[in-house]
Amino acid sequence: MQASDYGASTADQPLDIVSLDRLDAAVKEVIPEAGYEFVSGGAGDEWTLHENRRAFDDFRIEPKRLRGVSPEVDLSIELLGQSLPFPIFTAPMGAHGMVHEEAEVATARGTGMAGTLYCSSGASHRTLEEIAEATQGPKWFQLYWNNDTEVTRSLLDRAKAAGYSAIVLTADALGPGQPDDFKAMSSPFRPDMVFGNHDPERGGSGNFFDQKLDLDTNAIKFIKDQTRLPVIVKGLLRADDADRSISAGADAIQVSNHGGRQIDGVPASIAALPDVVATVNGRVPVIMDGGVRRGIDVVRALAMGADAVAVGRPVLYGLGLGGAQGVQSVLEHLRAELQSAMLLSGAAKLADLDPSFINLVGASAEASRS
Ligand SMILES: Cc1cc2nc3c(=O)[nH]c(=O)nc-3n(C[C@H](O)[C@H](O)[C@H](O)COP(=O)(O)O)c2cc1C
Ligand SMILES: O=C(O)C(=O)c1ccccc1
């Protein structure tokens, strides 16, 4: 059966983007409802989902004037041995076939066209090898740890062989958050397309949330011994967990609440960032994700100590609206907004961004006083 028998998704096309927030309403009109609900939704009452956006407002930018800043801001960074043209990359997300018939292959291609890093989800619809081939840019592999270590070992060997340069260990998804029917999830465009790395013989890698993770059984060390690649621990909100992860060998920390999709009622990522940054104290890079939609959000996250940010849902909205080119448009739009936000804040280079650009008000200020 051909993919077209099921109806095709949107053709590749660049998007004329005014603001990433507006993509939500546009994509709702063009992708199947199940796909839109899957991507846009959050856990529980979606309090954390909304808080991820709202909390940015607690961190006001205090712009610096009369500093001779020119528009040619250098946005490039080095992150765990990779150079990125700007400090923004595609967050690991599963099941892109819910949005586009080419699924992660198109997302990875579009991310590569924008020149930045693609983080490939362990719950992708396409195989990690197909995805790796689709992008010329840097790439990391996100692992859902499997209690059957042979399943984990085989995924790590494949990721290394396919050229992924780091492993992201997701620590915050230990049970189904939202929705809970992941095992049955196939693409509405191609019902034959299920999770690409899933090995039905072992039943293993389909049980994404059946992971028992602790530092005593040494997941981080296991990954490093197996791959000799750097490990990013993703999904931390607490400073003590960041500290424990670094002691166990983590090479970077990704502050995240999984886009408000795991446990509701936890703080926004941007609100959790300062404590983690203070404890990490420059030992390893800190990445954050959750609610990044504007160049000013990136300025705030970097001023508060993040080295880079990852973006989730808007990338999939770009995929739904314009395939690989839509993804490219989303990432390039955010890069352009960052460039302008740097100029208008009075920051000549990324290294200039520090907490002196931020004035803390509102709920987050109250929390930090108590
Ligand atoms: C549809 C979808 C699927 C996701 N799948 C994964 C996943 O497989 N692994 C993972 O570590 N995080 C996953 N996430 C979380 C993202 O990596 C990221 O933390 C979050 O989307 C960032 O928030 P934002 O969407 O507000 O930018 C997923 C998020 C979405 C929206
Ligand atoms: O939806 C998610 O947040 C997620 O992590 C996931 C996990 C397994 C399959 C698809 C998505």
Side-chain angles (χ1 to χ4, degrees), residues 38-39 91-94 121 123 142 144 170 234 256 258-259 261 289-293 310-314 316:
F38 164 64
V39 175
M93 291 178 287
S121 163
Q142 178 262 321
Y144 275 120
T170 291
K234 173 175 182 280
S256 172
H258 212 104
R261 297 165 72 84
D289 71 58
V292 175
R293 300 293 178 269
V311 185
R313 294 178 182 85
L316 291 188

Side-chain angles (χ1 to χ4, degrees), residues 24-37:
D24 193 301
V27 80
K28 198 170 191 251
E29 302 298 312
V30 303
I31 64 171
E33 197 183 339
Y36 177 76
E37 296 296 324

Side-chain angles (χ1 to χ4, degrees), residues 244-296:
R244 291 169 65 235
S245 298
I246 295 171
S247 301
D251 299 283
I253 300 297
Q254 188 155 341
V255 174
S256 172
N257 51 37
H258 212 104
R261 297 165 72 84
Q262 284 299 314
I263 177 170
D264 199 19
V266 299
S269 304
I270 192 68
L273 180 65
D275 265 2
V276 173
V277 165
T279 295
V280 169
N281 194 20
R283 284 178 288 170
V284 297
V286 177
I287 299 158
M288 74 78 69
D289 71 58
V292 175
R293 300 293 178 269
R294 286 280 190 189
I296 55 170

Side-chain angles (χ1 to χ4, degrees), residues 125-177:
H125 271 142
R126 304 291 294 264
T127 66
L128 64 89
E129 289 85 4
E130 290 173 298
I131 298 166
E133 261 178 50
T135 174
Q136 302 300 307
K139 45 188 179 276
W140 292 350
F141 180 74
Q142 178 262 321
L143 177 76
Y144 275 120
W145 179 262
N146 197 288
N147 293 331
D148 179 345
T149 46
E150 287 315 308
V151 172
T152 298
R153 196 189 303 275
S154 135
L155 281 171
L156 291 172
D157 289 349
R158 286 171 58 196
K160 170 102 182 182
Y164 291 90
S165 69
I167 305 296
V168 175
L169 176 67
T170 291
D172 63 2
L174 300 172

